[in-house]
């Protein structure tokens, strides 16, 4: 990090204030305004924090204009092609990919922690059967704090590592249990002979009355979906982890807070909306009609799965998931399924239609994720849970990085007060 004094701020003719400019290793420079309030009496206003950096991080670099997403320097498309999810989780925590010995040790540690405490089963029974799975997850993940008091002491690196192992290992179990509870089927315990992703599919779709073995194509597809969703930098949910963690909260409570943030439709509800859009179109012959609606009045009907607020050029994750989508549909023999034919017709039209091309409304990650998860048999109500499962590794890496930052302090954003002025209560008669 290079600091240069080359900016000044002049307020109402007062003496100019020098402001340091922080130059990152990649990306845009940043004005250092940490001492602005004390020196000038003024504070900055930035609703949504779109022009404010709240932390320094080595984990993820995202450049939406260039269509680049790097984790510790590695492009996401290379990680998705050459690694499995646990290798990426290890990278996010440790800054380097594991060697063979480290990988085996890490996988063993995760496998050992995959089961949840038997008493946690009772938590699910306290929810209505029709409760949204994300609502269950907020409660159950938060409840991990009550089972692991030692996680509250994170001054020791080994305890932080144990917390990382515990929650990354148990998220597939917790998500699968949420699904099983919603459909009234018995919970399936994790198996020690299956890998991380295969185990999740087994716990989701296996039953005690029959032998279930995950199809390799399904495991590969879900593994890549986990990888592309594992970490995205400082989005709303990740910032929630850091803000909650800045108070010294238990890491499981911080992840529960992030899940609550992620559950909002403005954050991670797009894949579910994409599936609803495809079902609303219903038939490939109606694609042109729906495209015309979007072209004429700028309707948001079709824009849910197209374009991206961050990736204004292209999202590198989309290329990965498009290939996964095509491979999975072919492997499972679903190319002629009505809904997927709608998706392919919509994709083709959107990539060629001038309205979508001019406005850079290319099919996005949510579009392909919806198709992949539908093909895997995952219901739409679980789509956001899948993101939370994958994103937990990134959240925990961000939480630990925050703790190791010498500038780490409790978050305390300012506000611009716009209420009534001071006033007095009238005297009683």
């Amino acid at each position: 990090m290079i600091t240069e004094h080359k900016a000044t701020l002049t307020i109402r003719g007062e003496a100019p204030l020098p402001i340091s400019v922080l130059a990152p290793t990649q990306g845009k420079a940043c004005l250092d305004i940490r001492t602005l309030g004390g020196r000038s009496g003024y504070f900055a206003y930035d609703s949504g924090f779109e022009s404010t950096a709240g932390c320094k991080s080595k984990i993820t670099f995202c450049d939406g204009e260039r269509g680049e997403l790097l984790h510790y320097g590695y492009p996401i498309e290379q990680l998705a092609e050459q690694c499995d999810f646990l290798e990426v989780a290890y990278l996010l925590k440790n800054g380097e990919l594991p060697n063979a010995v480290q990988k085996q040790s890490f996988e063993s540690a995760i496998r050992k922690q995959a089961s949840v405490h038997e008493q946690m089963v009772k938590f699910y029974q306290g929810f209505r059967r029709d409760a949204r799975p994300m609502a269950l997850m907020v409660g159950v993940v938060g409840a991990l704090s009550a089972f692991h008091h030692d996680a509250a002491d994170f001054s020791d690196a080994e305890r932080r590592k144990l917390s990382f192992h515990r929650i990354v290992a148990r998220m597939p179990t917790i998500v699968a249990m949420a699904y099983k509870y919603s459909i009234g089927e018995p919970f399936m315990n994790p198996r020690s002979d299956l890998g991380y992703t295969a185990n999740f599919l087994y716990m989701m779709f296996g039953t005690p009355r029959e032998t279930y073995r995950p199809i390799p194509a399904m495991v590969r597809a879900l593994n890549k979906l986990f990888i592309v969703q594992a970490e995205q930098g400082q989005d709303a949910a990740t910032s929630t982890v850091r803000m909650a963690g800045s108070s010294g909260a238990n890491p499981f409570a911080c992840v529960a807070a992030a899940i609550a943030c992620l559950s909002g439709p403005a954050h991670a509800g797009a894949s579910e909306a994409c599936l609803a859009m495809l079902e609303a179109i219903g038939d490939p012959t109606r694609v042109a009609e729906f495209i015309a609606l979007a072209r004429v009045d700028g309707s948001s009907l079709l824009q849910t799965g197209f374009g991206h607020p961050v990736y204004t050029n292209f999202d590198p994750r989309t290329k990965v998931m498009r290939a996964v989508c095509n491979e999975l549909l072919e492997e499972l023999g679903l190319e002629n399924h009505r809904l997927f034919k709608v998706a392919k017709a919509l994709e083709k039209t959107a990539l060629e239609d001038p309205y979508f091309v001019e406005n850079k409304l290319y099919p996005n990650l949510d579009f392909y994720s919806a198709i992949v998860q539908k093909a895997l048999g995952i219901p739409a109500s679980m789509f956001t849970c899948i993101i939370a499962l994958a994103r937990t590794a990134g959240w925990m890496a961000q939480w630990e990085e925050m703790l190791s930052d010498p500038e780490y302090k409790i978050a305390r954003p300012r506000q611009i007060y716009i209420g009534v002025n001071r006033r007095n209560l009238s005297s009683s008669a």
Side-chain angles (χ1 to χ4, degrees):
M1 177 75 69
I2 301 172
T3 301
E4 299 178 7
H5 292 280
K6 63 178 182 181
T8 58
L9 174 66
T10 302
I11 304 173
R12 297 178 180 177
E14 297 175 6
L17 291 172
I19 298 178
S20 299
V21 178
L22 305 178
T25 53
Q26 282 187 270
K28 297 179 180 179
C30 182
L31 299 176
D32 186 351
I33 61 170
R34 286 174 291 179
T35 62
L36 178 63
R39 291 193 295 154
S40 70
Y42 291 89
F43 298 96
Y45 175 67
D46 182 18
S47 178
F49 307 108
E50 292 187 345
S51 297
T52 302
C55 67
K56 298 173 184 175
S57 180
K58 299 177 180 178
I59 300 171
T60 295
F61 173 72
C62 175
D63 188 332
E65 295 177 1
R66 295 174 56 187
E68 190 171 46
L69 179 64
L70 311 176
H71 297 326
Y72 283 104
Y74 292 111
I76 187 64
E77 53 270 37
Q78 293 181 20
L79 292 172
E81 186 63 32
Q82 301 179 43
C83 301
D84 63 34
F85 174 70
L86 285 186
E87 287 177 303
V88 174
Y90 184 96
L91 168 69
L92 293 174
K93 185 187 185 307
N94 298 290
E96 296 291 345
L97 288 166
N99 58 33
V101 174
Q102 290 167 333
K103 181 181 178 181
Q104 184 178 15
S105 175
F106 185 64
E107 289 176 345
S108 177
I110 295 295
R111 191 178 298 113
K112 181 180 178 181
Q113 297 291 342
S115 296
V116 298
H117 196 286
E118 188 62 28
Q119 282 187 299
M120 294 204 75
V121 174
K122 298 177 181 178
F123 277 84
Y124 290 89
Q125 295 169 353
F127 289 94
R128 290 169 54 106
R129 288 281 182 185
D130 60 354
R132 293 283 293 182
M134 282 293 278
L136 271 71
M137 288 183 61
V138 171
V140 174
V141 172
L144 288 172
S145 303
F147 287 85
H148 302 293
H149 304 294
D150 57 337
D153 178 9
F154 35 76
S155 58
D156 181 68
E158 285 302 310
R159 288 191 176 182
R160 294 196 300 271
K161 182 167 73 172
L162 180 58
S163 292
F164 186 95
H165 291 167
R166 281 170 172 166
I167 195 163
V168 169
R170 291 174 193 177
M171 282 298 284
T173 310
I174 289 170
V175 172
M177 289 173 71
Y179 172 62
K180 287 295 193 182
Y181 183 74
S182 71
I183 61 175
E185 287 189 359
F187 300 145
M188 301 295 290
N189 292 324
R191 285 169 43 179
S192 60
D193 62 322
L194 293 177
Y196 189 85
T197 305
N199 220 342
F200 174 65
L201 288 170
Y202 166 75
M203 291 188 289
M204 281 281 287
F205 303 120
T207 63
R209 63 181 177 273
E210 60 186 359
T211 302
Y212 177 86
R213 196 79 190 180
I215 299 171
M218 295 174 65
V219 175
R220 288 196 301 272
L222 189 57
N223 180 68
K224 290 189 177 183
L225 179 59
F226 284 167
I227 289 174
V228 299
Q229 292 284 14
E231 162 66 5
Q232 182 61 22
Q234 300 308 309
D235 60 14
T238 302
S239 297
T240 297
V241 169
R242 282 182 173 264
M243 185 165 286
S246 72
S247 72
N250 186 293
F252 305 126
C254 296
V255 171
I259 293 171
C261 179
L262 191 71
S263 68
H267 198 340
S271 289
E272 190 173 350
C274 283
L275 188 62
M277 172 190 70
L278 294 174
E279 291 174 339
I281 296 173
D283 191 273
T285 60
R286 297 191 62 205
V287 167
E289 171 191 342
F290 277 69
I291 289 283
L293 273 176
R295 189 189 307 118
V296 169
D297 60 9
S299 169
S300 62
L301 181 64
L302 284 176
Q303 295 180 19
T304 303
F306 299 88
H308 195 281
V310 174
Y311 295 100
T312 54
N313 187 353
F314 72 96
D315 182 345
R317 302 171 302 171
T318 298
K319 184 178 179 181
V320 173
M321 290 313 297
R322 184 185 185 193
V324 168
C325 183
N326 292 332
E327 178 187 344
L328 182 64
L329 294 181
E330 183 179 349
E331 287 271 359
L332 300 182
L334 295 173
E335 308 100 309
N336 295 319
H337 185 284
R338 175 186 56 83
L339 202 63
F340 300 134
K341 288 180 72 175
V342 170
K344 297 301 289 183
L346 182 56
E347 175 196 44
K348 183 177 186 300
T349 305
L351 288 172
E352 298 172 353
D353 185 270
Y355 174 82
F356 283 82
V357 173
E358 289 170 11
N359 291 280
K360 297 184 178 179
L361 296 175
Y362 306 114
N364 60 24
L365 178 65
D366 301 309
F367 180 82
Y368 293 111
S369 294
I371 300 170
V372 167
Q373 291 182 85
K374 175 68 175 178
L376 291 172
I378 298 171
S381 62
M382 297 294 299
F383 285 3
T384 310
C385 299
I386 299 299
I387 298 176
L389 189 168
R391 196 62 62 85
T392 295
W395 288 337
M396 288 296 289
Q398 293 275 351
W399 170 80
E400 186 165 8
E401 183 183 59
M402 176 203 66
L403 295 177
S404 64
D405 186 347
E407 298 175 350
Y408 148 67
K409 62 177 70 174
I410 187 169
R412 198 182 299 277
R414 294 283 177 169
Q415 67 170 14
I416 296 178
Y417 176 70
I418 57 173
V420 296
N421 290 330
R422 178 188 173 93
R423 52 184 172 173
N424 298 317
L425 288 168
S426 59
S427 300
S428 302

